[in-house]
Amino acid sequence: VSAVPLGGNHMSVTAIVGINWGDEGKGRMVDYLSESYEVVVRYQGGNNAGHTVINEFGKFALNLLPSGIFRPGTINILGPGTVIDLEHLCGEIERLQKAGVSISPENLYISDRAMICMPFHRWQDQMEEDRLGAAQYGSTRRGISPVYGDKAMKKTLQMGDLFYPESLHEHLYRLVDWKNALLGSAYHCEAISMEQMQAWLDTYGSVLKPYITDVGQVLREALSCGKNVLMEAQLGALRDLDYGIYPYTSSSSPLAGYAPIGCGLPSIKLDKVVGVVKAYSSCVGAGPFVGELDGAEGDALREAGGEYGAATGRPRRVAYFDLVATKHGIELQGASDIALTKMDVLSHMPSIPVIRAYKVDGKEITRFPATQLLDRAEPVYETLPGWQCEISHIRKFEDLPQAAQDYVLYAERQLGVFIKYVSVGPEREQIIIRG
């Protein structure tokens, strides 16, 4: 659907989203493509996921800050669909500023409607995972699920509350009283200190207040001037709360369809959706993961790809490229273009298996099944020849080894969507643009 500029100038609104379980390389794609966009918006999630970016400033794992923060003159927005741990965001800003990245209220805007992730949300997350033991969901333990749950129960603080200390104090008192009753009964933990929570809000809130505003108005003004807008999601389609592998999902929607809601301007329309997928599969956290590689085979792929969580450092589970899950993710995201990342990681392999179908109860299927069936699903492989040479220096598709070209074209045929971008390395310029 084409966006209609509020002021009449031409502009483009694009969402960059994950197709699989997350960790597809969205951060590096936003960092690369943001050169063509004047506004970059994070529209959901919190500091539970990380976007790894490598550029002239160094290597960074961004948890909350939009990946456009490295581009001078770019407007970066944290929308009302996000949840914000004040302490974490202050630390993230400070780390980047020390590395020479310019961050100020001139280039970073935080929605006054974004929810605050309090320390007691982190504690609740940790205690619940500990209580679940072997049955835990694989949470990052950063409080994201509890704060989104409290948001639905209308029991959270918004960033805009920081400007009204009297009503903030009253609201916080009621929240702490409620949380103590809840957590004390469920986990028999030490009582939350009202004074400690107030001091936490005062300390970190004072740093962030200059950044807080009505981001919907910022977006309206940008659109009226014909500025291009890039919407950035965390995680991937299979972690969506409604359409993912529930209950092993995030607590928000990483789908492109949520971008207008979570960005702060629900009337905005998307022109394009760029779906990001790895040339193989990876997954952090619990839940079904068809074709998971164990032992030396899995270790070799994990080490070659540096597959450790950007937010947690946890080793990622790995598998070969999963066409079944990827086609499902593309449908959920409505992707018009695909970015295939980490092609270079496969360069050491003489042959490369691809999951072309699942077998469930003896029957071969190519549609992604219900979560309840995924634990019974077995991968059905097709093996493609490898190229066994370095490709990270290549910038034209026709210069890739024939086997590498064939791998991309095979995936494209199977997925039915144009693979426009092929990433051959982690650095900003290590990318091939087709067409």
Side-chain angles (χ1 to χ4, degrees):
V1 181
S2 293
V4 179
L6 302 183
N9 296 329
H10 174 72
M11 86 291 182
S12 173
V13 182
T14 299
I16 294 190
V17 293
I19 295 300
N20 294 140
W21 299 264
D23 306 308
E24 298 96 343
K26 296 180 294 299
R28 72 94 64 239
M29 289 307 303
V30 175
D31 179 60
Y32 178 78
L33 293 175
S34 60
E35 184 177 22
S36 302
Y37 293 83
E38 292 89 356
V39 183
V40 178
V41 187
R42 268 285 306 275
Y43 63 83
Q44 50 80 226
N47 60 311
N48 53 320
H51 286 177
T52 301
V53 174
I54 300 175
N55 55 34
E56 68 270 22
F57 294 100
K59 181 178 180 179
F60 302 92
L62 302 181
N63 302 127
L64 272 165
L65 289 171
S67 302
I69 199 70
F70 299 103
R71 297 282 189 183
T74 299
I75 294 171
N76 296 272
I77 293 174
L78 290 170
T82 62
V83 292
I84 296 174
D85 182 323
L86 309 185
E87 182 178 358
H88 187 99
L89 181 55
C90 285
E92 197 169 321
I93 290 171
E94 184 180 1
R95 282 194 299 276
L96 265 66
Q97 287 175 332
K98 285 182 177 177
V101 181
S102 176
I103 303 176
S104 74
E106 299 298 313
N107 69 342
L108 176 63
Y109 299 85
I110 302 171
S111 172
D112 54 359
R113 295 178 178 271
M115 299 295 165
I116 297 176
C117 183
M118 297 291 294
F120 53 69
H121 290 122
R122 294 199 304 262
W123 303 336
Q124 182 179 352
D125 202 358
Q126 293 158 9
M127 289 184 289
E128 177 60 12
E129 285 289 275
D130 289 343
R131 187 191 69 83
L132 288 169
Q136 62 187 253
Y137 296 133
S139 166
T140 58
R141 298 173 176 247
R142 293 191 170 184
I144 309 305
S145 178
V147 70
Y148 273 118
D150 288 356
K151 176 182 179 179
M153 293 181 69
K154 297 162 284 189
K155 291 183 180 291
T156 47
L157 296 168
Q158 293 182 316
M159 295 296 288
D161 288 326
L162 295 170
F163 292 110
Y164 307 99
E166 215 170 283
S167 62
L168 171 66
H169 186 84
E170 291 176 12
H171 193 176
L172 179 64
Y173 180 84
R174 293 195 298 271
L175 291 183
V176 168
D177 185 57
W178 171 65
K179 277 293 179 183
N180 275 329
L182 181 71
L183 301 185
S185 173
Y187 305 110
H188 310 292
C189 58
E190 187 178 330
I192 299 163
S193 163
M194 172 67 188
E195 292 74 20
Q196 189 182 28
M197 294 301 97
Q198 184 68 62
W200 185 86
L201 284 168
D202 292 342
T203 299
Y204 299 106
S206 62
V207 176
L208 296 176
K209 276 199 291 188
Y211 298 91
I212 301 169
T213 191
D214 175 1
V215 300
Q217 186 57 34
V218 176
L219 282 167
R220 283 187 197 94
E221 292 175 2
L223 294 178
S224 69
C225 296
K227 293 184 185 295
N228 294 324
V229 179
L230 193 61
M231 306 285 190
E232 179 183 14
Q234 64 164 209
L235 298 170
L238 302 181
R239 297 296 190 187
D240 179 73
L241 183 61
D242 293 306
Y243 297 98
I245 51 172
Y246 189 86
Y248 304 100
T249 64
S250 185
S251 298
S252 62
S253 177
L255 299 185
Y258 185 72
I261 304 297
C263 76
L265 189 61
S267 59
I268 204 169
K269 302 294 190 296
L270 297 178
D271 292 299
K272 185 167 63 173
V273 177
V274 177
V276 187
V277 59
K278 275 180 185 160
Y280 55 94
S281 300
S282 72
C283 171
V284 169
F289 186 47
V290 178
E292 181 172 4
L293 299 173
D294 296 319
E297 193 174 12
D299 290 341
L301 185 55
R302 184 180 301 107
E303 292 302 318
E307 294 300 340
Y308 296 88
T312 63
R314 289 184 295 183
R316 295 184 184 128
R317 302 156 70 189
V318 294
Y320 294 120
F321 192 71
D322 187 332
L323 289 166
V324 180
T326 301
K327 279 189 280 190
H328 180 64
I330 287 171
E331 288 179 1
L332 291 177
Q333 296 287 17
S336 46
D337 289 323
I338 294 296
L340 187 67
T341 63
K342 290 202 168 187
M343 271 284 288
D344 54 302
V345 172
L346 303 178
S347 294
H348 68 286
M349 299 178 63
S351 59
I352 306 171
V354 173
I355 301 172
R356 66 165 182 81
Y358 296 166
K359 186 172 283 188
V360 179
D361 299 333
K363 182 181 177 182
E364 192 171 301
I365 61 173
T366 55
R367 293 284 300 174
F368 195 74
T371 305
Q372 294 83 349
L373 295 177
L374 283 170
D375 281 330
R376 304 211 298 270
E378 299 174 359
V380 178
Y381 291 108
E382 181 169 345
T383 301
L384 304 178
W387 46 94
Q388 290 191 286
C389 64
E390 180 62 45
I391 61 171
S392 59
H393 62 286
I394 295 173
R395 299 294 177 268
K396 293 182 179 179
F397 185 72
E398 58 269 24
D399 292 341
L400 284 171
Q402 190 59 51
Q405 293 184 45
D406 291 344
Y407 188 87
V408 174
L409 295 173
Y410 171 85
E412 187 173 78
R413 286 195 303 273
Q414 297 297 317
L415 299 175
V417 182
F418 181 54
I419 297 177
K420 183 177 179 67
Y421 308 96
V422 179
S423 168
V424 292
E427 296 183 10
R428 181 181 281 169
E429 303 304 325
Q430 288 181 308
I431 194 164
I432 295 168
I433 302 177
R434 300 175 63 216

